[in-house]
């Protein structure tokens, strides 16, 4: 027999690219293993995974929220309530008891759309956030936001001419999923000079160009706060985006997973697309995604999230339900995590003071590190970096010496991939080259997270490397 | 704007059918809600979800294993080790500590293929089971077996002419996934008269028929122990199946999620396809699936499982890795569940006596109920039922009165769907009609689980309903 070869596989699979866990991340894993041997011969003693927003990863410094984990432990082992009654706050024990009454065992499949009680709590959270009603039957709990995004893209791609507008730079889940389901990505560029702003006229120009090329635009993806940019949309821009969707009959896919990662909420607040659409009385079909992996929760490993459908008909929702039922249900641990995120302790609850202290510390540390890192990166020769008002990342732009560009091209690499590779090899810091997110021709970036054990050691290593790199390739 | 309508969706989505959570299951959910109101007007006072193998569902009687849940609680809240040190057995605390050292926080993303340490433990489990080496780099931890099956089907369908051989009756995940990814299901029938036996000559006839029709068979699915049939393959049959795969260059997809649900292991033991392939020295590419949702573990809600690749090249495995990395990683709670399944307490461990008592009780209850239910169903007029030696189900065949068949046809329903619907409405017992799994023309079945609170009440209700149904439609 011939066996199974790559060229016998689904050709779409070969086209999928996902740089966040691509070549560099694989090499970083190898280095991590080598570091455990005595003569590893590496010029660093730990790998810092700045390639992925993974707040609780070993070596990073965002601890889990105590309230969430105490509830989770009680869900696993309900008899713990008696054992822990003098240790766990009363509201934790009451919360877990309430959830147990609704869920039963977390070892059982739930409703495929997620536990009805938890979906009702999500609806209340959305209502409080936006001031408009939310219907729990239009909410789907998911295994992280990625599962929801994948489902929606796969539902909307009805032919190889179906297109989805995606911001450039973008989180590569979108291009990967489009490649997998034979859809066409229609890029629209964010404006780096204006702090990675979104421009409705630029989006419209992209729509018109795609239509001329025979593409049928079906949906528009907006990531707000941005990934990798950290930018936040203002309400007038959001209104213009909604009107565009109306005009071109587009489904709006709002990736809002960083909605609580705000570093300057006074000057750069978050507004949901749900609120804007309801305020405008717009009929635009909207699916908005949220997750427990980011924010102050940072519980990536639980795989929890949700999406809410607005202006989507019941028969389309029935199709979504059918599709999620094939894979049975999202993980219950993630669903409980969603409940904790949308129902945090309130003032007066026994858990509140600790919850407040923990979440304040996480917000403050992230805001401070982002600011410091942006300032120090901006002071480097050839580097300019928008000081992100949100999310977990910086996306600095780098001007390279001509020699570096030539050397990279000769090795068949993008120059920013060469830079990120040498950064990893010299410092153990793993980032993602801008070519993985998309960038304008001739421009180069990389994405790094602002999650790190201490900013001084981390940024100093970045600085030393950068100076050495520029010098090594003949200077700017 | 026109909004989003069903006819604008991916046409494959419209074709997907998944009866296990189809019309009946949705109606059962509605009844469950109605039962909470005072004047529900239903002729039963609880819904029994016999449509799905969900051992820990409220009202069923397979409790979680204490060892697994104590480890899980410690993973959520490591400080519990101190609090519980006089309550939790020492091996539980040591196990959780070991896992914490390897994993770190279970709130962090793991390696996309699953925690390396847990994959190594899976490899050891497979080696002990089969007596042949297993490579942890060829094992992928998954969110339940379904996620793995979906991935493999999507990888293997390289054109709309790609076919996958599936047993009839089959678990509808396979036909659903094939419809979604534009593949062709090539049915091969199991032999009900021979206890739902698998026949290599019948499979070969199906292959040849498909090839004549221009289909390219790419893979063969075997479900062993069977779902919905509960049958077990013997080794000579397995060898013949492997040789067929060699001859026709097929990837063998072995769904072995019920491998520890054996009711008569002396007469009907389980042998893995991995073992058969290694014993034959066969080059057949094999992917075998396992899960924590079934067996004595029954932890459906955690969404844990794995697949092992045998005779699959590194470049194909790299493609699988790329695809799983797009959705980041399987839920850590499920991964920890897999570790507990493959490393249960051993004789001499403090947890062993309780673990043994709990798992013995689960095995015995299931075997006893299956036997009793099969005997009583077989005593009903027009019913014949293979006494399943494995898995969680019975799949009785029913002969219907002509009137029932006519009434069903007039209502645009399959006769077995009519039967299952009336069964739900009269007794609250939710099953799945055989038309959801596939059956020979003119034959009718339904699937019900052998998970139930007490066999007497459950089977008596089935019997009363059956007699009434036959009488109502004019007798046999």
């Amino acid at each position: 027999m011939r066996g199974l070869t790559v060229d016998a596989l689904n050709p779409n699979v070969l086209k999928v690219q996902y740089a966040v866990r691509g070549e560099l991340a694989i090499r970083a894993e190898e280095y991590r293993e080598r570091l455990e041997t005595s003569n590893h011969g590496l010029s660093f003693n730990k790998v810092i995974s700045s390639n992925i927003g993974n707040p609780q990863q070993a070596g990073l410094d965002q601890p889990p929220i105590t309230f969430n984990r105490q509830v989770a432990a009680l869900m696993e082992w309900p008899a713990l309530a008696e054992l822990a009654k003098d240790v766990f706050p009363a509201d934790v024990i009451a919360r877990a008891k309430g959830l147990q009454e609704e869920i039963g065992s977390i070892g059982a499949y739930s409703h495929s759309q997620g536990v009805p009680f938890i979906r009702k709590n999500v609806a209340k959270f959305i209502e409080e956030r936006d001031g408009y009603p939310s219907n729990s039957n239009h909410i789907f709990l998911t295994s992280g936001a990625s599962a929801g995004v994948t489902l929606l893209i796969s539902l909307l791609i009805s032919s190889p001419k179906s297109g989805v507008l995606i911001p450039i730079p973008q989180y590569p889940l979108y291009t990967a999923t489009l490649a997998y389901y034979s859809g066409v990505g229609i890029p629209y560029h964010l404006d780096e000079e204006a702090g990675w702003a979104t421009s409705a006229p630029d989006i419209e120009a992209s729509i018109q160009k795609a239509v001329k090329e025979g593409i049928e635009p079906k949906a528009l993806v907006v990531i707000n706060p941005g990934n990798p940019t950290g930018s936040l949309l203002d309400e007038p821009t959001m209104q213009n985006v909604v009107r565009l969707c109306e005009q071109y009959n587009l489904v709006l896919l709002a990736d809002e997973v960083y909605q609580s990662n705000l570093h300057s909420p006074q000057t750069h607040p978050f507004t949901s697309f749900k609120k804007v659409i309801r305020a405008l009385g717009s009929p635009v079909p909207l699916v908005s995604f949220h997750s427990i992996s980011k924010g102050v929760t940072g519980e990536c490993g639980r795989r929890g999230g949700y999406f809410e459908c607005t202006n989507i008909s019941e028969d389309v929702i029935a199709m979504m339900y059918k599709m999620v039922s094939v894979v049975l249900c999202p993980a219950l641990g993630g669903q409980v995590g969603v409940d904790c995120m949308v129902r945090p302790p309130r003032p007066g609850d026994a858990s509140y003071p600790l919850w407040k202290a923990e979440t304040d510390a996480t917000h403050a540390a992230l805001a401070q590190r982002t600011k410091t890192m942006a300032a120090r990166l901006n002071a480097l020769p050839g580097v300019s970096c928008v000081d992100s008002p949100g999310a977990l990342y910086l996306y600095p732009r780098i001007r390279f010496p001509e020699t570096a560009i030539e050397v990279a091209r000769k090795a068949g690499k993008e120059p920013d991939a060469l830079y990120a590779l040498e950064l990893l090899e010299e410092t153990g810091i793993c980032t993602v080259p801008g070519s993985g997110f998309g960038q304008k021709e001739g421009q180069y970036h990389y994405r790094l997270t602002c999650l790190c054990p201490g900013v001084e050691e981390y940024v100093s290593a970045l600085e030393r490397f950068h100076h050495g790199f520029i010098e090594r390739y003949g200077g700017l």
Side-chain angles (χ1 to χ4, degrees), chain A:
Chain A
M1 73 179 303
R2 299 184 301 280
L4 180 62
T5 54
V6 168
D7 57 5
L9 299 181
N10 179 344
N12 289 343
V13 167
L14 307 190
K15 290 181 209 146
V16 167
Q17 295 197 329
Y18 187 69
V20 174
R21 294 216 168 184
E23 183 198 348
L24 257 79
I26 292 171
R27 193 173 296 203
E29 279 302 319
E30 289 164 9
Y31 289 162
R32 190 167 279 141
E33 281 181 28
R34 259 172 72 186
L35 284 172
E36 288 180 14
T37 60
S38 49
N39 285 311
H40 55 69
L42 297 169
S43 58
F44 47 88
N45 55 27
K46 67 178 174 214
V47 169
I48 299 182
S49 297
S50 287
N51 56 312
I52 189 161
N54 190 8
Q56 294 183 26
Q57 183 159 25
L60 303 185
D61 70 343
Q62 185 173 323
I65 294 173
T66 299
F67 175 82
N68 299 358
R69 289 303 192 88
Q70 289 178 334
V71 170
L74 287 163
M75 296 306 293
E76 294 288 359
W77 185 244
L80 181 59
E82 182 56 29
L83 186 67
K85 67 177 189 293
D86 302 325
V87 182
F88 284 10
D91 59 330
V92 165
I93 292 181
R95 173 66 60 87
K97 193 159 174 287
L99 283 167
Q100 280 151 17
E101 281 163 10
E102 293 287 341
I103 297 174
S105 167
I106 62 162
Y109 293 126
S110 70
H111 189 292
S112 294
Q113 215 171 323
V115 173
F117 176 71
I118 298 179
R119 282 189 279 125
K120 284 177 194 153
N121 293 330
V122 172
K124 281 183 207 156
F125 161 82
I126 293 170
E127 286 173 1
E128 266 187 47
R129 185 193 66 190
D130 296 337
Y132 291 96
S134 171
N135 181 342
S136 67
N137 291 326
H138 298 169
I139 291 167
F140 286 71
L141 303 186
T142 54
S143 289
S146 305
V149 168
T150 308
L151 174 67
L152 262 291
I153 300 263
S154 82
L155 279 170
L156 291 171
I157 300 304
S158 56
S159 92
K161 291 286 177 193
S162 298
V164 175
L165 286 137
I166 47 174
I168 298 297
Q170 55 108 27
Y171 177 55
L173 167 65
Y174 294 96
T175 39
T177 311
L178 282 165
Y180 194 34
Y181 291 101
S182 295
V184 182
I186 308 171
Y188 66 92
H189 283 272
L190 307 181
D191 184 353
E192 184 166 12
E193 279 66 40
W196 295 114
T198 297
S199 146
D202 284 0
I203 297 176
E204 185 162 23
S206 295
I207 295 172
Q208 290 173 345
K209 181 165 176 286
V211 170
K212 263 193 206 137
E213 289 163 359
I215 306 301
E216 185 196 2
K218 308 251 327 208
L220 167 66
V221 171
V222 178
I223 312 177
N224 182 41
N227 176 4
T229 65
S231 62
L232 279 142
L233 270 70
D234 55 37
E235 284 195 44
T237 303
M238 295 174 80
Q239 291 165 356
N240 291 336
V241 165
V242 169
R243 289 196 191 99
L244 262 187
C245 290
E246 278 184 32
Q247 190 180 342
Y248 291 95
N249 201 45
L250 299 175
V251 177
L252 181 53
L253 302 176
D255 177 339
E256 299 176 335
V257 302
Y258 296 98
Q259 63 187 263
S260 70
N261 287 118
L262 305 177
H263 312 324
S264 341
Q266 280 73 34
T267 54
H268 293 84
F270 168 75
T271 306
S272 75
F273 266 110
K274 167 79 179 291
K275 184 175 175 180
V276 171
I277 280 178
R278 285 290 185 242
L280 290 173
S282 167
V284 163
L286 165 72
V287 182
S288 26
F289 303 90
H290 197 10
S291 164
I292 62 170
S293 297
K294 315 301 172 184
V296 287
T297 307
E299 292 275 354
C300 305
R302 316 188 84 79
R303 313 307 299 119
Y306 73 80
F307 64 84
E308 183 196 24
C309 300
T310 303
N311 295 331
I312 306 264
S313 66
E314 293 296 336
D315 51 354
V316 171
I317 286 174
M319 287 292 152
M320 294 178 184
Y321 172 78
K322 181 177 73 175
M323 294 311 301
V324 298
S325 77
V326 177
V327 286
L328 301 158
C329 72
L332 269 287
Q335 295 192 46
V336 169
V338 170
D339 196 80
C340 289
M341 176 178 76
V342 300
R343 284 201 295 161
R346 301 286 171 130
D349 292 347
S351 290
Y352 182 75
L354 179 59
W355 178 87
K356 184 77 170 65
E358 289 175 341
T359 56
D360 282 354
T362 292
H363 280 304
L366 195 63
Q368 178 56 40
R369 277 199 305 259
T370 304
K371 197 177 155 73
T372 306
M373 285 170 65
R376 287 178 60 172
L377 287 167
N378 270 316
L380 290 172
V383 177
S384 64
C385 179
V386 173
D387 182 3
S388 303
L392 301 176
Y393 314 101
L394 287 171
Y395 193 59
R397 181 172 166 189
I398 317 178
R399 215 154 33 85
F400 288 121
E402 278 308 315
T403 324
I405 297 174
E406 281 162 30
V407 168
R409 296 290 180 218
K410 274 186 194 148
K413 283 193 191 310
E414 290 293 323
D416 51 11
L418 176 77
Y419 184 87
L421 188 60
E422 293 194 7
L423 174 65
L424 172 63
E425 285 173 348
E426 189 174 314
T427 65
I429 298 174
C430 184
T431 61
V432 188
S435 38
F437 301 98
Q439 50 199 355
K440 286 186 179 158
E441 182 75 26
Q443 294 191 354
Y444 305 108
H445 301 78
Y446 68 104
R447 187 188 81 166
L448 74 171
T449 72
C450 303
L451 301 157
C452 56
V455 78
E456 187 52 42
E457 179 192 346
Y458 180 52
V459 180
S460 299
L462 285 172
E463 288 168 340
R464 269 195 309 276
F465 166 77
H466 183 79
H467 287 297
F469 182 92
I470 297 294
E471 199 173 319
R472 190 153 65 247
Y473 288 101
L476 285 169

